[in-house]
Amino acid sequence: MDEIIDGLYVGSSMAESDKPKLKECRITHILSVASHYVPSYPNEFVYKLISIDDLPEENIIQYFPECNKFISGALEEGGCVLVHCMAGQSRSAVIAAAYLMQKDGLTSEQALTAIKKKRRQINPNDGFIDQLQLYYDISYDVSPAKALYRRFLINHSAEHYREYGKIENIVAGVDPTTQQMLPTQRLVRCKKCRRALVIEANILDHQAGVGQVAFSYNKRNGSGANTPHAFPQNRACSSLFVEPMEWMDGISDGLIENKIACPKCQAKLGSYNWAGAQCSCGKWIIPSFQIHRNRIDEIRQRLQ
């Protein structure tokens, strides 16, 4: 195992089982980030167990806040912490990087570079690296209130459906009528009864054309050019694609597909399908929460 900063070590499962070395390094707390790991010395160290596989599609960012709290708490008590996975290359490195990012305001690249200087063999999978970048983009605040994180969770649910044929852990956009209406650049209302449906943060725009688009959570690149995950508004499309919303029938029940109707007047607005659907422009959107533009009013408001 290797000391990354004072009191914080990263290592493998072999390091966790090496009691003499743990004592030599004055380890008091052990954070295990592996699948169904059984602690070697549960009565001699303070453990925290995170069961997760080293796979790009795993949601590791959800554990960053509690892991950061465990590490910082141990260090504040004057203890030393070992963060380990099986090989000490991917999961443990990512958890340590997230801690450094939050503590020192680092980018994902800066944090991983700092760790690699002390432990050269680290090699996080691409999915985990993307989630570290997302962590930076949401200012280290892992909350569904953050649009980028919400998009990540929606995409994660869609991937779970493709893999297992069911939807779990759905995060839906907050009904705009149940929260204080802040000034927004874009408000969508039912054309028939004028009930507010979605705001700017709930809308997924896309470029017209063939190909596939998934709900994504990456921002524009440093030059300001469009990345594959940044979509300008396309007025040519006959439908508007949005996030799943609290007011949509069947969302909380995990329905794979259903009609979308106005929750106030029941006017037919469109439909949704977690497997995706094609826009009139030819683009395939996954998942698809599609509202027809001729059934809504889109209002532009000036920010105060």
Side-chain angles (χ1 to χ4, degrees):
M1 60 182 170
D2 299 286
E3 189 172 27
I4 308 304
I5 59 173
D6 289 345
L8 176 60
Y9 293 78
V10 169
S12 65
S13 59
M14 292 182 62
E16 186 274 339
S17 64
D18 188 347
K19 188 175 178 179
K21 185 66 173 178
L22 294 173
K23 294 295 185 180
E24 177 186 332
C25 294
R26 298 175 287 110
I27 299 296
T28 57
H29 294 64
I30 297 177
L31 175 51
S32 299
V33 194
S35 181
H36 306 290
Y37 194 81
V38 179
S40 299
Y41 312 103
N43 298 321
E44 299 188 49
F45 302 93
V46 179
Y47 277 87
K48 182 172 185 61
L49 307 177
I50 300 293
S51 183
I52 187 171
D53 293 316
D54 183 20
L55 298 172
E57 62 269 22
E58 286 277 18
N59 181 352
I60 196 170
I61 190 175
Q62 65 180 314
Y63 300 114
F64 289 174
E66 58 184 290
C67 289
N68 287 347
K69 184 177 180 180
F70 180 82
I71 294 171
S72 62
L75 297 180
E76 288 171 4
E77 293 174 4
C80 294
V81 187
L82 167 65
V83 181
H84 83 89
C85 49
M86 296 307 294
Q89 296 182 356
S90 183
R91 288 163 288 188
S92 56
V94 168
I95 292 298
Y99 173 74
L100 295 181
M101 289 172 65
Q102 190 273 332
K103 182 178 77 73
D104 296 328
L106 304 180
T107 65
S108 57
E109 184 177 358
Q110 289 171 332
L112 289 173
T113 298
I115 295 172
K116 198 158 192 172
K117 287 180 180 179
K118 301 296 181 70
R119 186 173 177 81
R120 297 186 61 183
Q121 66 266 44
I122 68 164
N123 186 31
N125 68 57
D126 290 341
F128 288 174
I129 291 176
D130 285 345
Q131 290 178 59
L132 282 175
Q133 179 60 46
L134 172 60
Y135 190 48
Y136 177 77
D137 288 340
I138 60 178
S139 303
Y140 324 115
D141 180 13
V142 183
S143 166
K146 294 283 188 174
L148 290 176
Y149 182 59
R150 197 165 61 247
R151 298 268 171 99
F152 164 77
L153 293 176
I154 293 167
N155 191 54
H156 191 265
S157 293
E159 290 178 354
H160 189 275
Y161 168 69
R162 289 195 291 271
E163 184 73 20
Y164 302 104
K166 60 181 180 180
I167 301 295
E168 290 186 349
N169 304 319
I170 298 172
V171 174
V174 177
D175 188 333
T177 64
T178 64
Q179 57 183 325
Q180 182 179 3
M181 293 295 289
L182 299 176
T184 178
Q185 291 180 317
R186 207 166 169 193
L187 175 66
V188 175
R189 303 187 308 187
C190 173
K191 184 181 288 289
K192 184 177 180 180
C193 71
R194 303 190 182 280
R195 200 261 196 199
L197 300 172
V198 298
I199 59 175
E200 180 83 22
N202 308 124
I203 299 171
L204 174 69
D205 291 317
H206 63 279
Q207 292 172 330
V210 297
Q212 178 174 301
V213 173
F215 262 80
S216 280
Y217 47 91
N218 292 334
K219 290 184 173 181
R220 291 170 176 260
N221 63 27
S223 66
N226 288 334
T227 69
H229 304 303
F231 312 109
Q233 183 183 11
N234 178 19
R235 298 288 302 183
C237 300
S238 62
S239 296
L240 197 68
F241 290 85
V242 301
E243 298 176 344
M245 301 296 294
E246 290 178 340
W247 53 263
M248 292 180 181
D249 287 340
I251 290 294
S252 60
D253 299 323
L255 292 186
I256 302 304
E257 58 181 316
N258 201 8
K259 300 295 183 183
I260 298 177
C262 173
K264 181 179 179 181
C265 69
Q266 297 304 306
K268 295 179 181 180
L269 302 174
S271 62
Y272 67 81
N273 192 323
W274 283 94
Q278 193 172 34
C279 179
S280 60
C281 70
K283 185 75 73 173
W284 189 266
I285 312 294
I286 302 176
S288 169
F289 299 85
Q290 186 174 13
I291 296 177
H292 301 307
R293 276 200 160 104
N294 61 1
R295 306 293 177 85
I296 58 174
D297 290 322
E298 296 178 67
I299 300 170
R300 292 279 177 173
Q301 297 180 180
R302 291 184 178 181
L303 293 175
Q304 299 298 319

